[in-house]
Amino acid sequence: MDLSRYELLQKQLVRLEETEGGFDQFTSSYKNFGVHRQPDNSLLFLEWAPAAEALFLTGDFNDWEKFSYPYTKKEFGKWELILPAKHDGTPAVGHNTRLKVVVHTKEGGRLYRISPWAKYVNREEKSIVYDWVHWDPPQPYTQIHPRPKKPTSLRIYEAHVGIASPEGKVASYTNFTTNVLPRIKDLGYNCIQLMAIMEHAYYASFGYQVTSFFAASSRYGTPEELKRMIDAAHSMGIVVLLDVVHSHASKNTEDGLNCFDGSDSCFFHSPPRGEHKLWGSRLFNYSSWEVQRFLLSNLRWWMEEYCFDGFRFDGITSMLYHHHGIGTGFSGDYSEYFGLQVDEDSLVYLMLANHILHTLYPDCITVAEDVSGMPALCRGVEEGGLGFDYRLAMAIPDKWIQILKESKDEDWDMGDIVHTLTNRRYGEKCIAYAESHDQALVGDKSLAFWLMDKEMYTNMSSLIPMTAVIDRGMQLHKMIRLLTHALGGEGYLNFIGNEFGHPEWLDFPREGNNQSYHYARRQFNLLETDHLRYHQLYAFDRDMNRTEDQYGWLAAQPGFVSAKHGEDKVIVFDRGHVVFIFNFHPSKSFQDYRVAVEAPGRYKIKLDSDQDQYGGHGRLDHNTEFYTEPQPFNGRPNSMQVYIPCRTAIVLANEERDYCY
């Protein structure tokens, strides 16, 4: 237990409890800051701009007169403005009214800014800069369905709303609700992780250069349409996580947080500490009371207003260390995690965020994106941990891409693969994934494209015999994903489209591609063409998830690997009382291959990557029953003999066992 970290957290909690209303009120400051309609229909505007000389409000409501509505300076750098209701009792600023904060600096400058607390921003078609839009609809959407229970086995579908359509345009929340949610439900995923929801002025940033932290991106539709989308997911029993970016912010000034009050700090450290030299973005000052208020309230806003079920925290490695992981390798030595290079301010902020989220919302799910391997990242804060529920197993997709780039099939090292999939700290849950969204971006390729490349354009039809390239690619695509799913963690993640082997890559519209949307879309239409083999990969992904839902291996203890045979290219393990057998050999099938089994009984095939419906060769008889023998083998008390064709994965379950979990 790292008591020093826990003690730092306790001190912060004591400070929060000493504030008026305690941490509950402190972390719900979104109810006061920005603009809020009062019971008498007057409007309260509140901002924090400690370096400003004066603040004014302007917008459509006063014909953009710059100085007619000054804010009043309050304590601790806060500024307040109250606009009485009109004579007819309606608010002085109506729904959908464009606004700006005019900031006068001490140096005599005049700046036009968006409120950091703006709940909705958009821009006119030919404009570059976003406007703050007062969002106060007469009939706000009210969620109907309760949050689903926290899944025992987390199967995540990572999605980007804007690319979730075959059409060459920015897709909408409504399209996602109508056309994508039913697919996710059918595929057996019980969690959606939404990228690029927090407003970002630059579409090609993939949502990681946030400009407005409280605003849902207007390029996909309205806040009410996002609420409806999340509610629809809840009606299907699917929880929804937000990809939250608290590790940095866009350096935009007119429509971002940067230099909001005219200073080079405000929400951030002053340069150079407040700048990320690789990302070209600003870094928060997590020791600042008002920054903590802003970020913690931001988490509660997304939970309360939109009914998200948790968060995937982006860029945790950058937060945890003063060096931000730049030019630094991590060997796993503990001196790398507990020295002066650790940024205690951000570390305590993450502990605080997890403590508050899990206290207020016991079923909240938090996932950390950390490449460093920080110990206790996913242990409770009371143990000196950071309090996350899961961490992303980021080494796994890197390993698969490395193997496909550098190794011939006959040179694949089964021991190295198993080591990568099982190399995680006991008691800290991991989300395994075979390929990341980064690997789909321009300059790299998805697993399917690495495996089959240009032949995906011409040879994916089931009306013609499979070529050697397509055959290899289809079989390995299924095997890699199942092995990652079953052995790599306590949760599983798939990026939108990869479930059916989406071809090509992702490239958002930008100057370098003439603002083209051709690669900024997901070609779900490929699934509608029956003679293309994409639907076979889709069917395997669906049945893989459904099989896990039945047997619950993700919620079980880590798998016991009984074989990782280098020459045979065979991996065998059991997990959750289910036996997994993988034969990666490109040409050699094995008759009567002995495999270790823990529980005696009668086993049958429950999932077979070689089935015809999955684009396989149908070499296994599913009526076959495999009986164990009391013959110890490879560390297990029982064993049995099976037939395992080349490039095939099979899942066997004991017919004499109750699999309720």
Side-chain angles (χ1 to χ4, degrees), residues 100-151:
K100 288 279 188 181
V101 178
V102 183
V103 179
H104 283 220
T105 69
K106 294 176 181 177
E107 294 75 28
R110 184 188 303 165
L111 311 172
Y112 295 88
R113 297 288 187 255
I114 287 177
S115 169
W117 301 79
K119 308 305 189 295
Y120 184 65
V121 300
N122 65 21
R123 64 180 172 192
E124 296 180 340
E125 186 175 346
K126 295 183 180 180
S127 176
I128 297 174
V129 177
Y130 277 76
D131 289 315
W132 173 18
V133 178
H134 178 48
W135 190 260
D136 188 16
Q139 294 181 318
Y141 185 80
T142 302
Q143 276 83 3
I144 301 169
H145 304 281
R147 300 179 194 269
K149 288 187 176 181
K150 186 176 182 177

Side-chain angles (χ1 to χ4, degrees), residues 67 260 460:
F67 310 120
F260 172 69
M460 285 295 282

Side-chain angles (χ1 to χ4, degrees), residues 571-623:
I571 296 172
V572 181
F573 61 93
D574 56 80
R575 187 177 184 191
H577 308 292
V578 181
V579 178
F580 298 85
I581 306 170
F582 294 80
N583 179 6
F584 281 98
H585 203 286
S587 59
K588 189 180 293 185
S589 301
F590 298 100
Q591 293 278 358
D592 299 326
Y593 200 89
R594 186 166 294 278
V595 298
V597 181
E598 180 183 20
R602 174 172 53 91
Y603 286 76
K604 291 196 72 174
I605 297 171
K606 300 302 176 183
L607 185 66
D608 166 18
S609 70
D610 196 48
Q611 278 192 273
D612 293 330
Q613 70 223 48
Y614 306 141
H617 300 284
R619 290 169 289 182
L620 288 165
D621 181 359
H622 285 223
N623 292 317

Side-chain angles (χ1 to χ4, degrees), residues 30 119 214-215 297-306:
Y30 61 84
K119 308 305 189 295
F214 287 82
S297 296
N298 186 235
L299 297 174
R300 288 203 63 186
W301 163 257
W302 293 108
M303 293 291 290
E304 296 281 350
E305 184 70 11
Y306 289 93

Side-chain angles (χ1 to χ4, degrees), residues 453-473:
D453 207 65
K454 62 183 179 182
E455 289 209 19
M456 297 189 79
Y457 295 119
T458 56
N459 295 327
M460 285 295 282
S461 173
S462 58
L463 301 178
I464 60 174
M466 275 194 289
T467 65
V469 169
I470 296 297
D471 189 4
R472 171 183 179 268

Side-chain angles (χ1 to χ4, degrees), residues 155-161 164 175-194 229 232-234 236-240 494-497 499-500 524 527 538 541-543 545-546:
R155 302 183 296 273
I156 302 173
Y157 193 89
E158 184 183 26
H160 185 295
V161 171
N175 166 74
F176 199 93
T177 303
T178 304
N179 298 316
V180 183
L181 283 181
R183 293 185 190 276
I184 297 172
K185 175 66 175 176
D186 179 61
L187 282 162
Y189 291 96
N190 55 21
C191 177
I192 299 169
Q193 181 177 296
L194 286 178
M229 185 183 101
H234 286 168
M236 299 176 182
I238 300 171
V239 298
V240 186
N494 166 73
F495 179 65
I496 181 171
E499 68 276 5
F500 63 87
F524 292 117
L527 292 171
Y538 176 99
D541 197 81
R542 177 197 63 209
D543 292 350
N545 283 323
R546 291 181 179 181

